[in-house]
Amino acid sequence: MRCRDFRLALCPALLLFLLPGAPALAATPAAVPAEDAYFAEMRDWRQRRHDRLASEDGWLTLVGLEWLREGSNRIGSDADNEIRIAGGPAYWGTVELSAGELRFTPHPAAQLTIDDAAAGPTRLVPDAEGKPTIVRSDNLSFQVILRGSYALRIKDRRAPTLLSFGGVDSYPIDARWRKDTRFVPATPGETISIANVLGQSEDMTVAGTVEFRHDGRDFSLLALQEQGASSLWFLFADRSNGRETYGAGRFLYSDGLPENGRLVVDFNKSYNPPCAFTEFSTCPLPPQQNRLDLVVTAGEKDYRHD
């Protein structure tokens, strides 16, 4: 869940262990482009990250998470609806949930679009099946997510969290945190159970383990494999959490896929999960055994907001 919710919305595996008797790992950073080119690449990466957060469909627009019940779920701003959306039409319509199938029937008086087209009775596609169906009224919208059960994720293009957004502080770019790691593949079919902030859990595919050295010490991280992805995913915690970085850990993607037993992992690209920005996301949490005994002074710091 790239946090597919991200997917806090949920944080697998940072497995820390020492390797007594193992061959020494590379003590130097991965080979990097000329310094000017690397810093330009990182500045561009940070700008694209900022632009995604500041977009009209980013995590800062998330203003609600409402669970659907089996049967009929009326939606709107009026008090007699099962699901209330502040602002917007008094009655958006009704979502019928039956045996895992979701169907939305718009209210005749509501001015809505469905996937940017004229609204009519339609099956709602949840995020677990691909691109979710978007039902919109002016600046407000909802879509269905599956997190154990079905829920409506509600967004507002005029959300105060978006309008007040001024960016996320980060550590200075430091090429020493760009690691040329040794990649050890997992056993085919290996999975790990990852809990989220709701107390639910999900089995995720383990791609393998990366091993690296920092300040003379050896560390390892468990890498997750997302179907069709061109990189591996890391959800990790470290000793900066709750001090300078977000308390529940951070996310990180590798630079490409493993090649000849090596994989570049650049901690300068560590970033906050959605839960750092909104209480309505469903982020994964790192298991206790997957916390690095290391202060990672690279990547995004905690998001400070009122």
Side-chain angles (χ1 to χ4, degrees):
M1 160 231 48
R2 279 165 195 194
C3 232
R4 279 181 296 211
D5 244 330
F6 99 179
R7 271 183 151 196
L8 233 217
L10 313 178
C11 292
L14 287 190
L15 180 59
L16 168 66
F17 57 91
L18 299 179
L19 301 174
L25 304 179
T28 58
V32 297
E35 183 175 290
D36 288 349
Y38 177 65
F39 275 71
E41 173 195 329
M42 280 304 310
R43 286 192 294 269
D44 178 66
W45 185 93
R46 288 183 173 181
Q47 184 61 53
R48 287 184 282 114
R49 162 70 170 161
H50 175 91
D51 292 346
R52 288 193 298 272
L53 285 171
S55 74
E56 291 188 338
D57 194 43
W59 289 111
L60 294 165
T61 66
L62 189 55
V63 295
L65 182 68
E66 299 287 346
W67 298 96
L68 294 166
R69 66 183 188 183
E70 193 76 10
S72 179
N73 300 264
R74 286 186 304 172
I75 303 166
S77 60
D78 272 18
D80 60 346
N81 289 288
E82 283 82 24
I83 293 179
R84 298 282 303 281
I85 298 180
Y91 300 98
W92 290 60
T94 302
V95 173
E96 294 284 345
L97 172 59
S98 177
E101 285 295 310
L102 299 118
R103 189 163 186 83
F104 177 66
T105 303
H107 190 278
Q111 296 184 350
L112 308 175
T113 60
I114 298 178
D115 288 340
D116 296 323
T122 187
R123 176 182 179 268
L124 297 179
V125 177
D127 67 338
E129 296 181 17
K131 184 179 180 181
T133 305
I134 307 294
V135 180
R136 185 177 301 282
S137 174
D138 194 21
N139 58 294
L140 295 165
S141 67
F142 69 77
Q143 63 195 71
V144 178
I145 65 171
L146 178 61
R147 300 293 183 272
S149 55
Y150 292 100
L152 294 188
R153 173 178 287 165
I154 301 164
K155 293 186 174 184
D156 183 355
R157 289 176 170 175
R158 302 293 296 170
T161 46
L162 176 62
L163 299 180
S164 64
F165 179 59
V168 181
D169 289 336
S170 296
Y171 290 101
I173 300 166
D174 185 347
R176 292 175 300 173
W177 283 105
R178 187 176 190 268
K179 303 294 185 180
D180 179 9
T181 71
R182 181 166 57 200
F183 178 75
V184 181
T187 303
E190 182 177 344
T191 62
I192 184 172
S193 180
I194 301 299
N196 67 22
V197 294
L198 302 176
Q200 303 164 334
S201 61
E202 179 181 0
D203 288 341
M204 297 185 178
T205 301
V206 178
T209 302
V210 296
E211 300 168 349
F212 65 96
R213 172 165 287 195
H214 187 79
D215 285 346
R217 298 171 61 199
D218 294 338
F219 300 93
S220 67
L221 296 177
L222 200 66
L224 301 177
Q225 179 75 63
E226 296 179 303
Q227 187 173 6
S230 58
S231 57
L232 301 184
W233 189 27
F234 302 90
L235 303 119
F236 73 94
D238 69 273
R239 290 194 175 276
S240 71
N241 299 160
R243 296 177 175 84
E244 291 190 306
T245 63
Y246 182 58
R250 289 178 287 174
F251 292 175
L252 175 62
Y253 283 90
S254 64
D255 289 0
L257 293 172
E259 186 174 349
N260 299 322
R262 310 299 297 183
L263 181 68
V264 173
V265 178
D266 192 341
F267 286 93
N268 291 289
K269 297 177 181 178
S270 305
Y271 66 97
N272 288 317
C275 289
F277 303 97
T278 174
E279 62 183 302
F280 300 112
S281 59
T282 54
C283 298
L285 299 171
Q288 184 63 38
Q289 70 270 29
N290 298 327
R291 297 180 179 274
L292 286 173
D293 184 21
L294 172 68
V295 180
V296 178
T297 55
E300 287 186 350
K301 296 182 179 181
D302 197 3
Y303 178 54
R304 308 296 181 182
H305 54 91
D306 298 330

